[in-house]
Amino acid sequence: MRKLSVAIERWPIAGSFVISRGSRTEATVVVATIEEDGHVGRGECVPYARYGETVEGVAETIRTQGFAIAGGIDREGLLATLPGGAARNAIDCALWDLEAKLSGISVAERLGLASPHALETAYTLSLGTPESMEEAARAAAGRPLLKVKLGGEGDDARIAAVRRGAPKSRLIADANEGWPVEQFDRLMRACAAAGVELIEQPLPVGADDILRYVDRTVPICADESLHEAADCALLADRYDAVNIKLEKTGGLTGALGVVRAARAQNLAVMVGCMVGTSLAMAPAVLLAQDADYVDLDGPLLLARDREPGLDYRGSRVSPPSPALWG
């Protein structure tokens, strides 16, 4: 019989992580563990208040699935039982891991990935003053791809400062819904002038209809507007790309469907993350093998990572070892 357990863990962030909605100095994650016949599968999720989630609420939702897990519910059954979100993500990924341990067939093999390869991930610069962001960009200028957190008023100065600090790095801007509609054109032009190649979720969910009608000089990527596969068809006339995160799709199983739906709509694919440990990133590294953009730098933003963790060499991240996940 399978047994489900839940743990809440806190991991310190190196310094602080600041976006348009606030700042944090630690990452609080929830880990689901499923045991069967001496084998253990694990999945990690990061509850997100933006979607009405709390750490305690997510942990309790996972606990409510104890009887279903003991009864042998599979990943497809889980999709029909729980809505997308952090709780389902942790259980879904734990089931993938357990299946690999029980069968001896890795998740990569199940996904048809004969030889998964290392990926180049973006590295995130927190929101701050133009001066602090230029300094952070200068310190990270050796990284090929930087993701710049923006927040609205003053973003034109911020993105120009980052470009000065990292003149050779490719740039992605992420406003986390922080741009007022009336400032969109000006801030878009500032990003274009700085050579930004993608802008994530500049406008709030529900206020992004205007993206149908504006000149998208820089391609726009949906993040908060995208959760499940059906969203891709609804967003295709407003966005050029989608950011797929396991916390939003409710796990790797749901995320695979979102990738297929995005490709069917000719949307570019980014595989992103919340700030968590290597256990949360591991399934996403496999999902991202054919992604156009990879943003799986969560462990790089922590003061320490779990062991064993993913192997990061600069901005290159290798597929997970069996000791970690999958």
Side-chain angles (χ1 to χ4, degrees):
M1 183 178 292
R2 292 180 174 178
K3 180 182 177 181
L4 172 68
S5 59
V6 186
I8 296 172
E9 301 175 352
R10 290 176 171 81
W11 297 83
I13 291 172
S16 62
F17 181 72
V18 186
I19 66 172
S20 62
R21 282 189 285 272
S23 64
R24 288 181 288 153
T25 57
E26 69 175 13
T28 304
V29 308
V30 181
V31 178
T33 300
I34 305 175
E35 301 178 48
E36 181 181 359
D37 295 336
H39 296 279
V40 176
R42 300 180 302 161
E44 177 185 315
C45 69
V46 182
Y48 199 34
R50 168 66 181 82
Y51 305 129
E53 295 176 335
T54 66
V55 172
E56 295 75 14
V58 166
E60 182 57 30
T61 298
I62 294 173
R63 291 188 190 100
T64 65
Q65 298 305 302
F67 286 115
I69 294 296
I73 191 171
D74 61 11
R75 291 181 286 101
E76 294 301 323
L78 189 67
L79 286 177
T81 302
L82 280 182
R88 194 176 77 189
N89 175 34
I91 301 173
D92 178 79
C93 291
L95 285 171
W96 277 101
D97 190 28
L98 181 63
E99 290 166 15
K101 302 293 196 301
L102 289 169
S103 67
I105 301 172
S106 71
V107 176
E109 290 177 271
R110 287 179 179 271
L111 295 177
L113 301 172
S115 182
H117 56 274
L119 302 170
E120 183 179 280
T121 178
Y123 180 79
T124 303
L125 303 182
S126 283
L127 178 66
T129 65
E131 294 76 17
S132 68
M133 294 184 75
E134 182 173 351
E135 181 179 353
R138 189 171 291 111
R143 296 185 181 273
L145 179 62
L146 300 179
K147 179 171 176 172
V148 184
K149 290 293 187 179
L150 298 177
E153 185 62 42
D155 279 350
D156 42 1
R158 292 185 183 99
I159 199 64
V162 168
R163 176 49 78 203
R164 289 193 299 271
K168 296 183 179 180
S169 298
R170 297 162 56 213
L171 299 182
I172 297 170
D174 184 4
N176 288 112
E177 305 179 271
W179 285 7
V181 171
E182 61 273 14
Q183 295 185 27
F184 176 84
D185 286 338
R186 177 171 61 82
L187 297 178
M188 167 72 84
R189 289 195 300 272
C191 285
V196 170
E197 59 186 73
L198 190 71
I199 300 173
E200 280 189 68
Q201 198 74 41
L203 302 174
V205 174
D208 55 1
D209 282 353
I210 70 163
L211 295 176
R212 293 190 179 101
Y213 312 110
V214 299
D215 182 10
R216 299 198 294 268
T217 309
V218 179
I220 305 294
C221 178
D223 183 355
E224 286 86 349
S225 289
L226 173 85
H227 290 266
E228 57 187 21
D231 294 333
C232 292
L234 302 175
L235 299 174
D237 62 349
R238 281 172 277 172
Y239 290 94
D240 308 288
V242 291
N243 186 344
I244 301 171
K245 297 176 181 175
L246 300 187
E247 267 79 9
K248 295 188 299 178
T249 65
L252 179 58
T253 304
L256 292 166
V258 180
V259 171
R260 290 191 293 269
R263 295 301 189 193
Q265 296 295 330
N266 295 315
L267 292 164
V269 168
M270 173 189 288
V271 174
C273 67
M274 307 299 187
V275 182
T277 78
S278 283
L279 181 58
M281 307 300 124
V285 170
L286 298 182
L287 180 71
Q289 288 293 300
D290 295 317
D292 302 289
Y293 295 93
V294 178
D295 178 26
L296 298 176
D297 65 341
L300 296 178
L301 306 177
L302 299 177
R304 58 182 176 85
D305 191 12
R306 70 172 72 246
E307 296 182 2
L310 290 170
D311 182 14
Y312 285 88
R313 306 283 178 94
S315 290
R316 300 283 292 178
V317 55
S318 294
S321 68
L324 172 62
W325 185 87

